[in-house]
Amino acid sequence: MSALTIAQKVCTEHLARTAYLYVRQSTLRQVQNNTESTERQYALRQRAMQLGWSSEQIVVIDTDQGQSGASSVDREGFQRLVADVGLGKAGIVLGLEVSRLARNNADWHRLLEICALSRTLICDEDGLYDPADFNDRLLLGLKGTMSEAELHFIRARLQGGILSKARRGELPMPLPVGLVMDPAGKVVLDPDAGVQRALAHLFDTFHRTGSARAVVQTFNRDGLLFPARIRCGERKGEIIWAPLTHWRVLRTLHNPRYAGAFAYGQRRTRKTPEGKTTTRAVPREEWTLIPDAHPGYLTFEQYEQNLRTLQTNATAHGTDRTSGPAREGTALLQGLAICGRCGHRMTVRYHTRKGAHVPDYQCVRENIQTAREKCQVIPGAGVDAAISQLLLDTVTPLALEVALNVQAELETRADDADKLRRSHVERARQRTELARRRYLAVDPDNRLVADTLEADWNDALRGLQAAQDEYERQTAAAKATLTEHHKQRIRQLASDFPALWNDPVTPSRERKRIARLLIEDVTLTNTDQVHLDVRFRGGQTTSLTIPKALNSWQARQTPTEILAQLDRLLDDHTDRETAEQLNRLGRRSGMRRPFTPAIIIKLRTTHNLPSHRERLLARGMLSQQEIAQRLGVHPNTIHAWRRAGFLTAHPANDKNDYLYEPPTPNDPRLVKRRGWRHSDREPAPPTQGGAI
Ligand SMILES: [Zn+2]
């Protein structure tokens, strides 16, 4: 740079202000090892003095030593520099490779802008810049971009190296307990048989129970411990034995290394705007996953099956097609019912009918999401009854086989647990032996050491005694569960399945759990009948059809066979008579009450059944008026003739109304009456009258 340019850039205004020398090193290691760079930075001081600043005017900012330049947060020195530049205190800012003053591009541009506004110069080993000048600013901006790009390439190269190593499965990663690195650098199963057995027992128990909680319960009930590796501190790498916890089971089940797969990139860390580091889990599809990279405790298929089981166990609110664990409530298919119309999982709604909780299976998802009508609601009682019957039919022939399998299962489980417990005792014995040998090896005159070792030995002996006692106690407990009496009971339980199922004392929850063990899901479709498509756990399917279920108001309706009976009775009886007849036959209304004329009237109007009167009219009966007209007599005469038995009449209702059979010509009773008319002072029936 020519003297002229420098002279043009540095003016008295700049010289009147302070010169800031910003010294920084990225990491502590650079601070310690790369002293040369620090010297170069201090050499810039000479340069400031050459440019015209006096040594008192030069402020050195080096408080950021040992901090990375990637973000200005937490870099007090840089913040102070920006503040002072902004206040117009700085005439010049000097730094080594000044574009790296702030590696983060946003910080860099902000500083440039502030320098331009406050007319502050910038100087590094390459030259002197005036950010207010367009060309200089362009150059500085480019330098900043270059610096950022360089950082990016370094990171990409490092990351790429790690990834390609990971893809080859050669990236050394901390191994979970149960897996160790052999001297040749290959991953193998931990040679400690106790550790191996504990892991195998965990996976077996999960496979059998399908629940992480049940695994913890089993281990704790049987008094089994689980190994864990100390991750830091002076005992790093050592195995300790502790009671099993739920999170440890989950972590073990989720770790693909146990399935012999190499996994990398399960978590990703990133910086927040505040400069904090956050870690988040990465979806499994994005991991670098190499199956069959080393020996494991289970196959990759088993590993994936375990994850699926865990997934279904999660209650997972709002997630469709996850059934969730069995809850209280009577609905047998809670979480198992699927809508046959739209394929969504159906929910259960209970309502009270005559003091009992009655379930409905309803598909409301669409209805909630789009405020449309409910997709379908199926009364649950009929469905549950059909499923119960199906299970009873399905389970009985298998009863003996199930019983035998359960028994064998229990025996192997007891064996496994016994081996594990024995290995605990074995470990305690080894520790004792070691302590004993150490004690014997020490010079007895060295009292201090000898005392400590003696105490160790005593501790180990006590541990051994405790382990042995525990072993005997647990073994006795395990043996006690498998007496002949128990075997007998297991056999009986299996054959008593129908009794157990139907026993009102059996909680709904247990019944549902049994249903879940056997049934995967049931698709319900409501058409003119209810169709049940049942999918069993094994993949077997079966279909059932039950009559269309009645909803609550339909169930309160008078049954159709009673309606038919009522219809028949109305042919010959009035409402009151019909009611009496039905009550005599022991019939009850839909509301379980005796019939009354009012109920009969209501029923026939609701079901459009003609009244008794209408039926008589339809059969050609005549009203009092009509017959009077036809016979040519006054209606009162008809009344009298009926009472006298000259006319055949039927009661039309319960109000003393009658309908008359049409008179036949030559009816002896009426023929006789013809002469009777004068004494009766009534006109005689006209001889030419239609019917006569
Ligand atoms: Zn639906």
Side-chain angles (χ1 to χ4, degrees):
M1 193 171 289
S2 71
L4 183 68
T5 335
I6 293 170
Q8 274 171 346
K9 280 177 184 168
V10 183
C11 55
T12 46
E13 189 201 338
H14 294 129
L15 290 173
R17 296 192 245 156
T18 317
Y20 282 83
L21 176 56
Y22 184 74
V23 181
R24 62 170 292 275
Q25 295 280 357
S26 266
T27 61
L28 267 177
R29 195 189 298 174
Q30 277 182 353
V31 175
Q32 283 166 355
N33 301 343
N34 199 355
T35 46
E36 184 217 0
S37 155
T38 317
E39 277 162 21
R40 274 167 61 211
Q41 297 201 45
Y42 283 109
L44 280 170
R45 198 185 166 84
Q46 301 301 316
R47 178 126 174 93
M49 285 159 78
Q50 279 170 14
L51 287 170
W53 277 271
S54 64
S55 66
E56 307 86 66
Q57 273 180 299
I58 301 171
V59 175
V60 179
I61 297 181
D62 60 359
T63 47
D64 290 339
Q65 296 235 17
Q67 306 243 21
S68 167
S71 164
S72 69
V73 180
D74 295 337
R75 273 194 293 123
E76 200 189 309
F78 185 76
Q79 305 277 31
R80 188 185 146 204
L81 178 68
V82 171
D84 285 359
V85 170
L87 289 170
K89 286 189 192 166
I92 189 167
V93 173
L94 301 111
L96 199 63
E97 293 178 70
V98 84
S99 57
R100 291 194 185 178
L101 271 180
R103 219 174 231 163
N104 179 302
N105 229 348
D107 286 349
W108 177 236
H109 283 289
R110 197 174 59 192
L111 182 69
L112 277 189
E113 256 162 46
I114 297 169
C115 283
L117 285 170
S118 59
R119 298 199 60 82
T120 305
L121 299 174
I122 286 179
C123 175
D124 69 4
E125 283 180 318
D126 292 343
L128 181 69
Y129 315 93
D130 180 1
D133 178 79
F134 174 75
N135 283 320
D136 280 6
R137 203 161 69 223
L138 190 68
L139 190 62
L140 285 167
L142 273 174
K143 281 189 150 201
T145 310
M146 297 286 280
S147 164
E148 206 191 6
E150 187 188 1
L151 200 67
H152 171 78
F153 289 133
I154 292 172
R155 196 177 286 157
R157 262 200 303 278
L158 280 172
Q159 196 72 12
I162 289 171
L163 275 176
S164 67
K165 246 184 162 176
R167 278 193 203 103
R168 293 195 306 272
E170 286 171 7
L171 189 69
M173 301 268 289
L175 290 168
V177 70
L179 292 172
V180 291
M181 199 80 88
D182 73 356
K186 271 168 53 188
V187 177
V188 291
L189 301 190
D190 195 321
D192 183 339
V195 173
Q196 280 194 24
R197 236 175 268 139
L199 274 158
H201 193 56
L202 184 144
F203 288 118
D204 279 357
T205 315
F206 183 77
H207 181 67
R208 196 173 58 236
T209 58
S211 143
R213 214 179 102 83
V215 174
V216 179
Q217 276 174 340
T218 309
F219 267 73
N220 291 345
R221 191 196 57 218
D222 296 347
L224 301 175
L225 299 177
F226 195 76
R229 188 173 284 143
I230 297 176
R231 290 259 169 236
C232 51
E234 44 191 74
R235 292 172 66 197
K236 185 177 173 184
E238 211 176 293
I239 299 274
I240 51 161
W241 290 78
L244 188 58
T245 50
H246 189 249
W247 69 268
R248 201 176 279 285
V249 177
L250 288 184
R251 210 176 59 174
T252 307
L253 290 170
H254 274 111
N255 197 333
R257 309 274 336 223
Y258 288 119
F262 180 87
Y264 175 77
Q266 289 151 277
R267 265 156 229 297
R268 196 162 290 157
T269 53
R270 62 167 53 194
K271 288 255 173 74
T272 62
E274 292 85 40
K276 286 185 191 139
T277 309
T278 59
T279 307
R280 78 181 168 88
V282 175
R284 199 155 72 93
E285 303 79 61
E286 292 169 29
W287 300 354
T288 304
L289 199 65
I290 307 164
D292 302 321
H294 53 78
Y297 286 87
L298 67 172
T299 65
F300 201 70
E301 289 72 42
Q302 278 167 338
Y303 164 74
E304 288 190 312
Q305 177 58 45
N306 287 350
L307 292 193
R308 276 197 295 276
T309 311
L310 287 176
Q311 183 77 43
T312 17
N313 287 355
T315 315
H317 287 286
T319 311
D320 213 46
R321 305 202 72 90
T322 42
S323 58
R327 292 190 291 270
E328 304 299 337
T330 55
L332 194 58
L333 298 183
Q334 170 238 315
L336 299 181
I338 288 176
C339 174
R341 287 200 194 152
C342 66
H344 285 125
R345 203 163 275 274
M346 296 177 89
T347 53
V348 178
R349 179 190 64 183
Y350 289 100
H351 53 259
T352 314
R353 192 185 292 172
K354 294 189 196 76
H357 287 296
V358 184
D360 276 348
Y361 296 107
Q362 53 177 2
C363 176
V364 289
R365 196 183 139 91
E366 282 297 301
N367 142 265
I368 291 168
Q369 301 292 343
T370 60
R372 268 193 234 126
E373 290 240 318
K374 278 179 196 166
C375 182
Q376 55 174 355
V377 178
I378 299 177
V383 173
D384 283 3
I387 294 291
S388 289
Q389 194 51 51
L390 176 71
L391 288 183
L392 291 172
D393 292 348
T394 316
V395 170
T396 317
L398 297 171
L400 192 63
E401 205 182 324
V402 170
L404 292 175
N405 283 343
V406 167
Q407 200 179 325
E409 188 78 51
L410 284 176
E411 267 159 21
T412 50
R413 205 196 295 182
D415 269 3
D416 283 356
D418 187 61
K419 274 185 207 140
L420 256 180
R421 275 194 290 267
R422 258 212 307 274
S423 67
H424 284 314
V425 177
E426 198 43 50
R427 254 193 315 281
R429 182 168 294 128
Q430 280 169 6
R431 216 163 28 235
T432 317
E433 183 55 29
L434 199 69
R436 190 183 71 90
R437 264 187 269 141
R438 272 207 213 109
Y439 173 70
L440 292 180
V442 78
D443 179 3
D445 289 341
N446 193 347
R447 284 307 322 160
L448 216 56
V449 176
D451 283 353
T452 316
L453 289 179
E454 189 181 0
D456 275 355
W457 186 18
N458 280 328
D459 272 352
L461 274 173
R462 268 194 296 277
L464 176 62
Q465 188 59 44
Q468 258 164 351
D469 288 352
E470 181 68 9
Y471 173 73
E472 274 156 28
R473 201 175 60 76
Q474 293 284 356
T475 313
K479 283 226 177 81
T481 57
L482 282 176
T483 58
E484 195 49 46
H485 169 67
H486 282 91
K487 283 181 190 172
Q488 195 57 42
R489 270 190 62 190
I490 291 163
R491 280 200 199 97
Q492 209 171 340
L493 265 183
S495 56
D496 282 355
F497 177 67
L500 177 82
W501 182 267
N502 291 321
D503 191 345
V505 181
T506 307
S508 311
R509 196 193 176 94
E510 290 308 316
R511 215 169 275 134
K512 272 192 257 183
R513 213 172 268 162
I514 298 172
R516 261 147 210 264
L517 284 177
L518 299 164
I519 294 177
E520 184 81 44
D521 54 39
V522 179
T523 306
L524 301 177
T525 321
N526 206 356
T527 55
D528 52 331
Q529 289 173 311
V530 181
H531 301 274
L532 286 77
D533 295 299
V534 185
R535 206 148 63 92
F536 285 100
R537 281 280 179 200
Q540 192 197 346
T541 58
T542 187
S543 293
L544 300 172
T545 307
I546 56 171
K548 191 175 170 78
L550 305 171
N551 56 34
S552 62
W553 70 265
Q554 284 169 332
R556 282 205 294 275
Q557 298 298 292
T558 306
T560 29
E561 65 268 20
I562 296 186
L563 278 178
Q565 210 165 17
L566 178 134
D567 192 20
R568 280 196 304 278
L569 284 168
L570 279 174
D571 283 346
D572 300 313
H573 300 280
T574 64
D575 295 330
R576 182 182 303 280
E577 288 163 353
T578 306
E580 283 164 4
Q581 287 281 336
L582 285 173
N583 289 339
R584 203 168 301 139
L585 290 167
R587 302 297 193 186
R588 287 290 178 270
S589 76
M591 299 293 281
R592 308 282 174 276
R593 291 200 204 114
F595 284 100
T596 60
I599 293 180
I600 303 290
I601 293 169
K602 189 146 190 280
L603 280 176
R604 63 177 166 72
T605 40
T606 318
H607 295 277
N608 285 325
L609 299 174
S611 66
H612 180 53
R613 183 191 165 82
E614 283 160 348
R615 286 160 204 251
L616 291 176
L617 286 173
R619 292 211 306 251
M621 305 283 168
L622 303 171
S623 69
Q624 196 173 350
Q625 288 293 334
E626 284 167 336
I627 195 161
Q629 214 168 37
R630 200 173 288 183
L631 292 175
V633 294
H634 191 272
N636 285 348
T637 312
I638 299 296
H639 189 56
W641 285 2
R642 176 185 60 78
R643 277 200 296 194
F646 300 143
L647 290 169
T648 313
H650 302 278
N653 54 27
D654 299 316
K655 291 176 192 154
N656 234 1
D657 271 349
Y658 286 87
L659 287 178
Y660 297 83
E661 302 229 352
T664 49
N666 312 323
D667 186 328
R669 294 170 302 181
L670 289 179
V671 171
K672 242 178 161 183
R673 280 308 93 203
R674 290 189 187 186
W676 199 53
R677 66 184 164 171
H678 295 294
S679 62
D680 209 25
R681 291 194 302 276
E682 288 293 331
T687 36
Q688 75 274 29
I692 300 176

